[in-house]
Amino acid sequence: MSNTALQPAQPAPAIRAYLGGSFDPVHRGHVQMAMAFYQSLLPLAQAQQRALYVSLLPNSRSPFKRQSSDPKHRLAMLKLAIQGTPLYIDELEIWQPPPVYTIDSVRTLRQRYPADSLIFIMGMDSARSLDKWQDGLQLTDYAHLWVFYRDTMPVPDTDNARQALQYWLPTPLQTAVTDSPAALTQPISQPSFIQTPTDPTIEQAALKNPASGRIYIDMRQVAAISSTQIRQTLQQQSRGDSAAGNHTKPVRDEQMTAASAINAIMNPPDPLAKWLNPAVYHYIIAHQLYSAAQFR
């Protein structure tokens, strides 16, 4: 028997997808988007006998936000939000000092997984503005993009809405749109290497082959829930609670206050009940996050 026959079979390259964001706080829209992708790709991954990993990628702090919750709180809420799901959390960015740019993370992931299919998940609102990101148009040099349509956007009145939507993307990316999700999972047989713009002496693995840099527009409408809107609602709720009573409460009122907090956890006010996982809402109340006093 030859030595070759004794060698264990190498596993097929995995399919790895990432949904980035501040997740401040994580809401049902985030999980819905990641799960919709997972359910779409799982049959394809199984047919190709490949592992599928779908991860939430929390950032350290958005360069567009002046204030951001402590990473430990955002990470704790993420762990609660994905309980019972097949989703993962990747902590690549969250502990890095800002600013941390997506292009740097994509390069790192491509270097870490040179033979795997890498896919970044985003909404059409983000995809339309990639030319305004730090080297945003270079993302497709390293990964594919899976772009979700938003339910707040008008559906193009045409027989091929996906083809029409490709013209919403920055011009250099429009020709990368494909109608086939399978185009995003083509194995990379020989990943090439390119020099980093910051240090030409360092080479990193890049997707430079005919199957690379494809963009799939998912026409399923996902809820356009905003973390900003959730924070504002929680702050308004906090202001309302403060206005309803004194800052110093008599001891006899403490039991009533505790009962009120428990009732809010068990029955979060609408629309928070629709937006937040109950365990996440419980965590927010328990740690007094997004209160009006926090932002004074």
Side-chain angles (χ1 to χ4, degrees):
M1 184 178 292
S2 68
N3 291 335
T4 303
L6 296 174
Q7 305 250 346
Q10 292 295 320
I15 300 172
R16 300 179 184 275
Y18 300 86
L19 174 62
S22 60
F23 304 109
D24 196 14
V26 58
H27 53 65
R28 294 186 188 275
H30 294 132
V31 178
Q32 176 193 2
M33 189 180 296
M35 284 301 303
F37 173 91
Y38 179 88
Q39 291 162 358
S40 294
L41 264 289
L42 183 59
L44 191 59
Q46 291 175 334
Q48 297 178 356
Q49 297 184 323
R50 300 170 65 186
L52 173 62
Y53 303 100
V54 181
S55 302
L56 303 181
L57 184 69
N59 59 29
S60 59
R61 182 176 64 81
S62 170
F64 304 108
K65 297 177 182 177
R66 291 181 300 172
Q67 297 167 320
S68 182
S69 299
D70 191 309
K72 70 178 183 181
H73 288 313
R74 292 189 286 122
L75 189 59
M77 289 187 286
L78 277 173
K79 291 177 179 178
L80 292 171
I82 67 170
Q83 284 183 350
T85 76
L87 304 178
Y88 295 84
I89 299 170
D90 192 305
E91 300 182 23
L92 171 65
E93 294 185 356
I94 195 168
W95 304 114
Q96 296 185 49
V100 178
Y101 297 107
T102 301
I103 186 62
D104 296 324
S105 298
V106 174
R107 290 189 183 115
T108 298
L109 291 168
R110 172 48 62 203
Q111 189 175 34
R112 184 186 295 175
Y113 308 113
D116 292 354
S117 297
L118 295 187
I119 304 173
F120 259 67
I121 306 167
M122 63 181 63
M124 177 59 80
D125 51 342
S126 295
R128 295 177 72 176
S129 63
L130 281 176
D131 54 345
K132 299 178 177 61
W133 292 25
Q134 179 80 13
D135 296 328
L137 297 181
Q138 295 180 22
L139 290 181
T140 51
D141 288 344
Y142 303 90
H144 304 291
L145 304 182
W146 187 288
V147 179
F148 274 97
Y149 187 62
R150 293 287 198 182
D151 62 3
T152 56
M153 296 180 175
V155 179
D157 186 15
T158 176
D159 293 336
N160 192 336
R162 182 178 292 112
Q163 187 177 29
L165 285 174
Q166 78 181 60
Y167 297 106
W168 290 17
L169 300 172
T171 302
L173 300 181
Q174 293 173 5
T175 57
V177 174
T178 177
D179 288 334
S180 172
L184 280 62
T185 64
Q186 296 298 316
I188 303 168
S189 56
Q190 292 183 336
S192 61
F193 293 80
I194 66 171
Q195 294 177 334
T196 64
T198 54
D199 189 345
T201 65
I202 299 177
E203 291 185 334
Q204 293 182 338
L207 273 169
K208 291 292 186 182
N209 62 49
S212 71
R214 306 312 300 273
I215 300 174
Y216 179 75
I217 300 176
D218 193 325
M219 292 303 299
R220 290 173 296 179
Q221 295 186 351
V222 295
I225 304 171
S226 165
S227 292
T228 300
Q229 187 176 1
I230 293 174
R231 291 196 302 272
Q232 291 173 347
T233 300
L234 288 163
Q235 289 174 42
Q236 290 168 1
Q237 175 186 326
S238 173
R239 291 190 186 98
D241 291 343
S242 298
N246 296 325
H247 292 288
T248 57
K249 294 182 174 62
V251 174
R252 64 178 178 273
D253 290 341
E254 289 183 357
Q255 289 184 333
M256 293 180 61
T257 302
S260 176
I262 293 172
N263 182 66
I265 292 170
M266 299 302 295
N267 303 285
D270 189 67
L272 294 179
K274 295 186 296 184
W275 292 343
L276 294 174
N277 178 303
V280 172
Y281 184 75
H282 181 285
Y283 187 93
I284 291 171
I285 296 298
H287 292 83
Q288 300 181 347
L289 302 180
Y290 314 116
S291 66
Q294 180 184 1
F295 295 93
R296 287 174 185 166

